[in-house]
Amino acid sequence: MIQKRLEVTDCKYLISSMELMARHLKKVVAELDRQSIKKMLEHIINARAVFVMGAGRSGLVGRAFAMRLMHLGFTAYVVGESTTPALTKEDTVVAISGSGQTRSIANLGKITKEMGAKLITITSNEDSELGRISDTVVKIPGRTKEDVGEYDERHLRGEFAYLTPLGTSFETSATVFLDGVIAELIHITGVSEEDLKSRHNKLE
Amino acid sequence: MIQKRLEVTDCKYLISSMELMARHLKKVVAELDRQSIKKMLEHIINARAVFVMGAGRSGLVGRAFAMRLMHLGFTAYVVGESTTPALTKEDTVVAISGSGQTRSIANLGKITKEMGAKLITITSNEDSELGRISDTVVKIPGRTKEDVGEYDERHLRGEFAYLTPLGTSFETSATVFLDGVIAELIHITGVSEEDLKSRHNKLE
Amino acid sequence: MIQKRLEVTDCKYLISSMELMARHLKKVVAELDRQSIKKMLEHIINARAVFVMGAGRSGLVGRAFAMRLMHLGFTAYVVGESTTPALTKEDTVVAISGSGQTRSIANLGKITKEMGAKLITITSNEDSELGRISDTVVKIPGRTKEDVGEYDERHLRGEFAYLTPLGTSFETSATVFLDGVIAELIHITGVSEEDLKSRHNKLE
Amino acid sequence: MIQKRLEVTDCKYLISSMELMARHLKKVVAELDRQSIKKMLEHIINARAVFVMGAGRSGLVGRAFAMRLMHLGFTAYVVGESTTPALTKEDTVVAISGSGQTRSIANLGKITKEMGAKLITITSNEDSELGRISDTVVKIPGRTKEDVGEYDERHLRGEFAYLTPLGTSFETSATVFLDGVIAELIHITGVSEEDLKSRHNKLE
């Protein structure tokens, strides 16, 4: 059965999935709240250091963001990596969680606030454990029926879609949004792509 | 100067960067070569295990893909993680490298071929060290002048753009492409989103 | 001052620290409780898969153990790595925490028990959050005054020593203990060092 | 057979393995070359930043060392982690490799020297790829017949032993040696354990 389907595939689902994501990104752009983004930019620029955290694929999204912050010249750390130092109240923590309820990240969010640091949450769910305790929440809209074109409609069953399973839609949107934050920070700080290249890891 | 720019920002560069990426994704979809993707699907489905590797942000793209392969029920490993076992000739290695020339990944590609395993490379540069030794190359087009709309034109200087610095454009395109591969594999293997959820890490 | 001390150093503290650790290991061996180790071996051998977790340096100790379990042919995962699947009630989780109170690990310990899996804790502190909920606790004695010979006595101030700062003494003891567990498992399972080599990562 | 052996085990191999390691550590201490250690201390203290690298379990040993360097107030990075910046010629790289021949680490060692940074190698094999290009080599003696007491003799077959399989003996010795380096650096720099605690990760 699997070999049969493999034989006849014309990559229709692959194409639909990618087109769906491109459409979804436009919707995300349209719904962004610029006031909360502006506060996020302030918390990053005024921080002594930026700490990024997330679980699973959201954690990978966070690492990609922290790496680029470092390329820009910010002091940036990933929570859980070996040489990440102690958080201080001069720091900003960026939490990435589609549901805003990931247990471990919500707990670290509480510690962040206990220590007096700033907490920014990137989430689809403002009314969540992380959302409620954050200084700033940037809402990234999640997967909805409207995202799905006629081609894909049959793949939408109740609350989930085969084309962007689990948190895929949020994770990619958050990645592209955070790369947008980097673009804005490049403009604000005036660094050049040459500066970025000069800070890129050479040992790879 | 930085504080001044921060004050007046209307997130124009952030928005442009995200729109640029949405446009770029459509171009990527249009230029995909279905024959090479089909071979990639075969190498994954017929492998004993799939090993994923990449350096820097491409390595994060690979991890996100490996995690989803595991959710689908494939045996998947990330090269460099603690419990990744020995490669065998029944396995398939997926290398992710925009330039196709990342030294460490090209070296591991050579070992892969020495051991008789299959090597798939996701790259913008087919005519590269990795491209030349791979069983299958999937080309993801990189950043070009046509990607950039009127709004952003002034940010393109020669070979680089401020809106998607360094490998950003490739990395996000590769992420969305590999999530498309997952969508196709979901169709081919017939797993449900419930199956995926049941394999999702509970300790987070 | 630093340059001056560097000039005249005869590595006395380095030597004392290493000798202290060698002495401490003997004490650890003498105080091990074989009944709890035997239960630990049972939980590992009878598990569908073994999951290892710890924060900071204890997390590194855990990874080293998980890697060797994999070399022995066990199905082993590190909590937090990319392709670690869902925990099931047929699995065993090994938690490593000197204090037994590390917040994130204690929380994951609770989830482990909620899911019905076995929980083994390696700790210096049996009477701790993790200790109290575990199926088996292996106690690794921590740093005490008796560990310190005449040479080093002046470095012991109250409850801490300069020679093995923070959790060093526990972490190294736990590493050597877990390598002892591997030695015992090698005997029990009858694998050869050749078997181990054959499972060792080739892509490095 | 396995269940039978499990039933009757008295942890003899576990105990022997731990005692063997304690004995081996004493031998390692006795054979250390203080001149090369002194040069290592100089390269670390005079570096702008210290980068640590190793593959597999040696990589974990390196991470534990980098973490402690950070606790001491040094700027320390692990090669391969997300926010590790570009190496400069003012930096020192510490490579950990029992054989001194691990392909990926030897390649990174070459890049280190091409870039004009200092290279320190911790190895059992001075006459190796890494050993030959390093500014300083600290030799950690490997497993030999003399390490093995009467109790364990039968476990030694040719060049390998069941009690400390593969690189175990080197890895633990390197861990304890590098913690000794930390003890010496604590003395030289005059930091207190309180200073160390204050830099310890709070988000765990």
Side-chain angles (χ1 to χ4, degrees):
Chain A
M1 181 64 167
I2 288 179
Q3 292 299 328
K4 185 67 189 291
R5 282 198 195 127
L6 178 57
E7 227 166 85
V8 303
T9 183
D10 58 356
C11 300
K12 191 170 65 179
Y13 299 88
L14 184 151
I15 304 293
S16 296
S17 156
M18 293 183 73
E19 288 174 343
L20 177 59
M21 190 54 69
R23 275 201 303 282
H24 184 68
L25 283 176
K26 287 190 176 168
K27 183 185 154 190
V28 170
V29 174
E31 297 192 11
L32 284 175
D33 173 49
R34 299 191 192 196
Q35 279 315 305
S36 61
I37 297 172
K38 211 166 163 175
K39 278 174 67 186
M40 176 180 178
L41 292 167
E42 279 171 26
H43 291 326
I44 288 174
I45 285 175
N46 296 323
R48 186 198 65 103
V50 180
F51 290 65
V52 181
M53 63 185 188
R57 284 175 50 127
S58 290
L60 300 172
V61 171
R63 286 177 193 211
F65 181 54
M67 203 183 292
R68 216 49 115 206
L69 284 176
M70 176 272 286
H71 291 156
L72 258 73
F74 288 91
T75 302
Y77 301 108
V78 173
V79 174
E81 293 203 341
S82 306
T83 57
T84 298
L87 183 71
T88 73
K89 63 184 200 307
E90 279 75 35
D91 299 325
T92 290
V93 175
V94 179
I96 299 160
S97 170
S99 69
Q101 309 274 31
T102 316
R103 216 199 277 205
S104 61
I105 303 303
N107 285 329
L108 296 178
K110 277 175 217 156
I111 302 178
T112 298
K113 292 313 304 169
E114 283 165 24
M115 299 198 60
K118 293 274 181 292
L119 178 62
I120 299 167
T121 295
I122 316 298
T123 184
S124 291
N125 185 10
E126 280 171 292
D127 187 24
S128 57
E129 263 197 88
L130 273 163
R132 281 187 291 270
I133 61 173
S134 295
D135 296 278
T136 304
V137 179
V138 177
K139 189 179 170 180
I140 303 287
R143 194 173 55 177
T144 67
K145 206 168 181 325
E146 293 91 79
D147 293 334
V148 183
E150 54 169 321
Y151 205 53
D152 323 302
E153 201 160 333
R154 65 183 171 289
H155 304 295
L156 202 76
R157 299 273 179 283
E159 51 189 343
F160 61 85
Y162 292 115
L163 294 177
T164 58
L166 306 176
T168 302
S169 177
F170 169 75
E171 292 143 13
T172 302
S173 303
T175 299
V176 175
F177 164 69
L178 290 169
D179 280 330
V181 169
I182 294 295
E184 197 68 35
L185 288 170
I186 288 174
H187 167 69
I188 290 172
T189 59
V191 304
S192 70
E193 201 179 33
E194 281 311 304
D195 295 330
L196 271 68
K197 263 184 202 162
S198 75
R199 293 194 194 90
H200 193 286
N201 175 27
K202 304 291 182 291
L203 293 174
E204 67 176 29
Chain B
M1 182 65 168
I2 288 179
Q3 291 299 329
K4 185 66 188 291
R5 282 198 195 124
L6 179 57
E7 227 166 87
V8 303
T9 184
D10 58 356
C11 299
K12 190 170 66 178
Y13 299 87
L14 184 151
I15 305 293
S16 296
S17 156
M18 294 184 74
E19 288 174 343
L20 177 59
M21 190 54 71
R23 276 201 302 281
H24 184 68
L25 284 175
K26 287 188 176 168
K27 183 184 153 192
V28 170
V29 175
E31 298 191 10
L32 285 174
D33 173 50
R34 300 191 190 195
Q35 279 316 303
S36 61
I37 296 172
K38 212 166 163 174
K39 280 175 65 185
M40 176 180 178
L41 292 167
E42 279 171 28
H43 292 324
I44 287 174
I45 284 174
N46 296 324
R48 185 199 65 103
V50 180
F51 289 66
V52 181
M53 64 185 187
R57 284 174 50 127
S58 290
L60 301 172
V61 172
R63 286 177 192 210
F65 181 54
M67 203 183 291
R68 215 52 114 206
L69 285 176
M70 175 271 286
H71 291 156
L72 258 75
F74 287 93
T75 302
Y77 301 108
V78 173
V79 174
E81 293 203 341
S82 305
T83 57
T84 299
L87 184 72
T88 73
K89 64 184 199 307
E90 279 76 34
D91 299 325
T92 290
V93 176
V94 179
I96 300 160
S97 170
S99 69
Q101 308 275 30
T102 316
R103 218 199 276 205
S104 61
I105 303 304
N107 284 330
L108 296 177
K110 278 175 218 156
I111 302 178
T112 298
K113 292 314 304 170
E114 284 165 24
M115 299 198 60
K118 292 276 181 290
L119 178 63
I120 300 168
T121 294
I122 316 298
T123 184
S124 291
N125 185 11
E126 279 170 293
D127 187 24
S128 57
E129 264 196 87
L130 275 163
R132 281 186 291 270
I133 62 173
S134 295
D135 296 278
T136 304
V137 179
V138 177
K139 190 182 169 178
I140 303 287
R143 194 173 54 177
T144 67
K145 204 168 181 332
E146 293 91 81
D147 293 334
V148 183
E150 50 168 325
Y151 205 52
D152 324 303
E153 201 159 334
R154 66 184 171 287
H155 306 295
L156 203 75
R157 301 274 179 281
E159 52 188 345
F160 61 85
Y162 292 114
L163 293 178
T164 58
L166 306 175
T168 302
S169 176
F170 169 76
E171 292 143 13
T172 301
S173 304
T175 299
V176 175
F177 164 70
L178 291 169
D179 280 329
V181 169
I182 294 296
E184 197 68 36
L185 288 170
I186 287 174
H187 168 69
I188 292 173
T189 59
V191 303
S192 70
E193 201 179 34
E194 281 312 304
D195 295 331
L196 270 68
K197 263 185 203 162
S198 74
R199 293 195 194 91
H200 193 286
N201 176 28
K202 302 293 183 289
L203 294 174
E204 68 177 25
Chain C
M1 182 65 167
I2 289 178
Q3 291 300 327
K4 185 67 190 289
R5 282 198 194 123
L6 179 57
E7 225 167 87
V8 303
T9 183
D10 57 357
C11 300
K12 192 169 65 178
Y13 299 87
L14 185 152
I15 304 294
S16 296
S17 156
M18 294 184 73
E19 289 175 343
L20 176 60
M21 190 55 69
R23 275 200 304 280
H24 184 68
L25 284 175
K26 287 191 176 167
K27 182 183 153 192
V28 170
V29 174
E31 297 191 10
L32 284 174
D33 173 50
R34 300 192 191 195
Q35 278 318 302
S36 60
I37 297 172
K38 211 166 164 173
K39 279 175 64 186
M40 175 180 179
L41 292 167
E42 279 172 27
H43 291 326
I44 287 174
I45 284 173
N46 296 324
R48 186 200 64 104
V50 180
F51 289 65
V52 181
M53 64 185 189
R57 286 175 51 128
S58 290
L60 301 172
V61 171
R63 287 177 191 209
F65 181 54
M67 202 182 294
R68 214 53 113 206
L69 284 176
M70 176 272 287
H71 291 156
L72 257 74
F74 287 92
T75 301
Y77 300 108
V78 173
V79 173
E81 293 202 343
S82 305
T83 58
T84 298
L87 183 72
T88 74
K89 64 186 202 304
E90 278 76 36
D91 299 324
T92 290
V93 176
V94 179
I96 300 160
S97 169
S99 69
Q101 308 275 31
T102 316
R103 220 200 273 205
S104 61
I105 302 304
N107 285 330
L108 295 177
K110 278 175 218 156
I111 302 177
T112 299
K113 290 316 302 170
E114 284 164 25
M115 300 199 59
K118 292 275 182 292
L119 178 61
I120 300 168
T121 295
I122 316 297
T123 183
S124 290
N125 185 11
E126 279 170 294
D127 186 24
S128 57
E129 264 196 87
L130 275 162
R132 281 185 293 270
I133 62 174
S134 294
D135 296 278
T136 306
V137 179
V138 177
K139 189 180 170 180
I140 303 287
R143 193 175 55 177
T144 66
K145 205 168 182 328
E146 293 90 78
D147 293 333
V148 183
E150 52 170 324
Y151 204 52
D152 323 302
E153 201 160 334
R154 67 183 170 289
H155 305 296
L156 201 76
R157 300 274 180 282
E159 52 190 343
F160 62 84
Y162 292 115
L163 294 177
T164 59
L166 306 177
T168 302
S169 176
F170 169 75
E171 292 143 12
T172 301
S173 303
T175 299
V176 175
F177 164 69
L178 291 169
D179 279 329
V181 169
I182 294 295
E184 197 68 36
L185 288 170
I186 287 174
H187 168 69
I188 291 172
T189 59
V191 303
S192 70
E193 200 177 35
E194 281 312 303
D195 295 330
L196 271 67
K197 264 185 201 162
S198 75
R199 293 195 194 90
H200 193 286
N201 176 27
K202 302 293 184 289
L203 293 174
E204 69 176 28
Chain D
M1 182 63 168
I2 288 179
Q3 291 300 330
K4 185 67 189 290
R5 282 199 195 124
L6 179 57
E7 225 168 87
V8 302
T9 184
D10 57 357
C11 300
K12 191 170 67 178
Y13 300 87
L14 184 152
I15 304 293
S16 295
S17 156
M18 293 184 74
E19 288 174 341
L20 176 60
M21 189 55 69
R23 277 202 302 282
H24 184 68
L25 283 176
K26 287 191 175 167
K27 183 185 153 191
V28 170
V29 175
E31 296 191 10
L32 285 175
D33 173 48
R34 301 190 190 196
Q35 278 316 304
S36 61
I37 296 172
K38 211 166 163 175
K39 278 175 66 185
M40 176 180 179
L41 292 167
E42 279 171 25
H43 291 325
I44 287 174
I45 284 174
N46 296 323
R48 185 198 65 102
V50 180
F51 290 65
V52 181
M53 63 185 189
R57 286 176 48 127
S58 290
L60 300 173
V61 171
R63 285 177 193 211
F65 181 53
M67 203 183 292
R68 216 49 116 206
L69 284 176
M70 176 272 287
H71 290 156
L72 259 73
F74 287 92
T75 301
Y77 301 109
V78 173
V79 174
E81 293 203 342
S82 306
T83 57
T84 299
L87 184 71
T88 73
K89 64 186 201 304
E90 279 75 36
D91 299 326
T92 290
V93 176
V94 179
I96 300 160
S97 170
S99 69
Q101 309 274 29
T102 316
R103 219 200 274 203
S104 61
I105 302 303
N107 285 330
L108 295 178
K110 278 175 217 156
I111 302 178
T112 298
K113 292 314 303 169
E114 284 164 24
M115 300 198 58
K118 292 275 181 290
L119 179 62
I120 300 168
T121 295
I122 316 298
T123 184
S124 290
N125 185 9
E126 280 171 292
D127 187 24
S128 57
E129 263 196 87
L130 273 163
R132 281 187 292 270
I133 62 172
S134 295
D135 296 277
T136 304
V137 179
V138 177
K139 190 181 171 180
I140 302 288
R143 195 173 55 177
T144 67
K145 205 170 182 327
E146 292 93 78
D147 294 331
V148 184
E150 53 170 322
Y151 204 53
D152 322 302
E153 202 161 332
R154 66 185 170 289
H155 305 295
L156 201 75
R157 299 275 179 282
E159 50 188 344
F160 62 85
Y162 292 114
L163 294 177
T164 57
L166 305 176
T168 302
S169 176
F170 169 75
E171 292 143 13
T172 301
S173 304
T175 299
V176 175
F177 164 68
L178 290 169
D179 279 330
V181 169
I182 294 295
E184 196 69 35
L185 287 170
I186 287 174
H187 168 68
I188 291 173
T189 58
V191 303
S192 70
E193 201 177 35
E194 281 312 304
D195 295 331
L196 270 69
K197 265 183 199 161
S198 74
R199 292 194 196 90
H200 193 287
N201 175 28
K202 303 291 183 290
L203 294 174
E204 68 175 27

